[in-house]
Amino acid sequence: EAHKTPTRIQFYESSMSSRMTERLLLENDLHDALANQELFLEYQPQLDLQTGQVKSVEALVRWKHPKKGWISPGVFIPIAEESGLIIPIGQWVLETACKQVKRWEGAGLPPIKVAVNLSLGQLFQQNLVGMIHNVLEKTQLEPQYLQLEITESMTINIDHMTTILHQLKALGITIAVDDFGTGYSSLSYLKDFPIDCLKIDRSFVQKIQSSSTDKALVDTILSVAKHLQLKVVAEGIEEIEQLSYLITSNCDTVQGFLFSKPIHPNILQENYQTLHEN
Ligand code: C2E
Ligand code: CA
Ligand code: CA
Ligand code: CA
């Protein structure tokens, strides 16, 4: 009994330091991940509820660590942000996604718009707008096929955000607010920021049936979007009941496991081709 407390403390400390060591090791490996071609993109189809077609996809980064296997972006994106690696990784993601859209186009698929996630660090990088402009030039992607996803938590400097977003809009690309409703920022930025689309966070969507509060929040977001003439993508649809509710509520677009998980770009292409052959 007397040994119980010290043993626990020791266990706690060693697990703390092993977690920190683990993080440092991962950061170190992440440095080489790009050069070693360990990063990949998957694409999650978004279903247009008007037409029932896939007109857009979200690009999601994957890391296949040589020893540890697949590591979730929920784990390595925060490390990339803290270490500054998000700048080269973010640029690689953008360029790879734009190239992929052109590749699908070349394979005869109907036009597909790609949504790419932007991180806070990228918003403050030197010449983000110039970098995106260059990627569009280099890949020859028409800007209307690129959407950038920002989050409410990025609106820490309203003036800077407003400037950057207007410059991005001037390039001809569109902007979506990701995880909408989960941040604590004021709704008033919606009238200052040149935003095109709101993505309803999956935490609300998944409780549409079980919580009247969450259902009310979804209704409110749809209504705000309608008044401001913004498109809405509902995320994280896993159940048919969620889909039917969103169809009845005139939501524009849905994304979720019910319809498709994020997939390899070649699989998306094959699915598309078989779908249209029949
Ligand atoms: P996010 O931007 O909110 O992306 C949506 C996440 O929800 C993805 O997780 C996707 O796989 C997952 N998801 C989609 N449909 C469903 C569903 O029906 N049910 C459930 N339970 N989950 C669903 P993923 O790919 O693990 O990405 C996690 C987060 O990592 C992303 O959240 C985003 O914040 C970040 N991330 C991923 N790729 C990138 C990237 O290229 N750049 C940046 N900056 N962040 C990225
Ligand atoms: Ca996103
Ligand atoms: Ca999201
Ligand atoms: Ca999220």
Side-chain angles (χ1 to χ4, degrees), residues 136-155:
L136 289 171
E137 291 268 285
K138 185 175 167 188
T139 60
Q140 288 292 297
L141 180 72
E142 299 81 347
Q144 73 263 31
Y145 296 118
L146 176 63
Q147 179 153 291
L148 294 178
E149 295 192 1
I150 59 167
T151 58
E152 288 171 281
S153 59
M154 286 161 78
T155 60

Side-chain angles (χ1 to χ4, degrees), residues 32-228:
D32 306 322
L34 257 185
N36 293 346
Q37 297 182 296
E38 294 161 15
L39 296 185
F40 303 87
L41 291 189
E42 284 189 327
Y43 299 84
Q44 188 174 31
Q46 299 179 331
L47 186 68
D48 179 313
L49 291 179
Q50 284 271 301
T51 60
Q53 286 175 337
V54 175
K55 292 193 170 164
S56 50
V57 295
E58 178 176 3
L60 294 156
V61 69
R62 304 288 178 247
W63 179 16
K64 189 171 188 181
H65 189 284
K67 292 201 190 71
K68 297 180 173 122
W70 294 104
I71 296 174
S72 154
V75 171
F76 74 84
I77 288 290
I79 297 177
E81 292 193 42
E82 282 164 37
S83 60
L85 285 167
I86 195 66
I87 308 294
I89 291 175
Q91 179 163 349
W92 177 84
V93 168
L94 186 78
E95 194 170 325
T96 306
C98 291
K99 273 189 203 148
Q100 185 57 55
V101 173
K102 292 301 281 184
R103 205 169 290 149
W104 283 324
E105 189 187 301
L109 267 61
I112 292 175
K113 181 171 187 161
V114 68
V116 173
N117 292 284
L118 212 61
S119 278
L120 181 63
Q122 291 178 276
L123 207 64
F124 288 94
Q125 89 178 68
Q126 281 292 313
N127 203 12
L128 170 73
V129 181
M131 183 277 278
I132 295 175
H133 174 78
N134 290 341
V135 167
L136 289 171
E137 291 268 285
K138 185 175 167 188
T139 60
Q140 288 292 297
L141 180 72
E142 299 81 347
Q144 73 263 31
Y145 296 118
L146 176 63
Q147 179 153 291
L148 294 178
E149 295 192 1
I150 59 167
T151 58
E152 288 171 281
S153 59
M154 286 161 78
T155 60
I156 48 172
N157 183 335
I158 305 269
D159 288 344
H160 180 70
M161 185 74 136
T162 311
T163 310
I164 298 273
L165 292 186
H166 276 102
Q167 291 173 348
L168 291 174
K169 285 294 291 180
L171 292 181
I173 66 185
T174 56
I175 313 284
V177 181
D178 200 2
D179 305 340
F180 187 72
T182 59
Y184 290 96
S185 54
S186 151
L187 277 181
S188 65
Y189 71 82
L190 286 179
K191 70 179 163 58
D192 301 323
F193 291 168
I195 285 163
D196 304 277
C197 174
L198 302 179
K199 291 190 81 174
I200 306 181
D201 191 67
R202 72 161 183 264
S203 60
F204 304 127
V205 172
Q206 295 188 338
K207 285 192 244 150
I208 283 179
Q209 304 119 289
S210 60
S211 149
S212 55
T213 311
D214 288 276
K215 187 184 241 171
L217 281 171
V218 170
D219 292 341
T220 305
I221 295 172
L222 285 164
S223 154
V224 166
K226 195 172 183 182
H227 283 290
L228 299 177

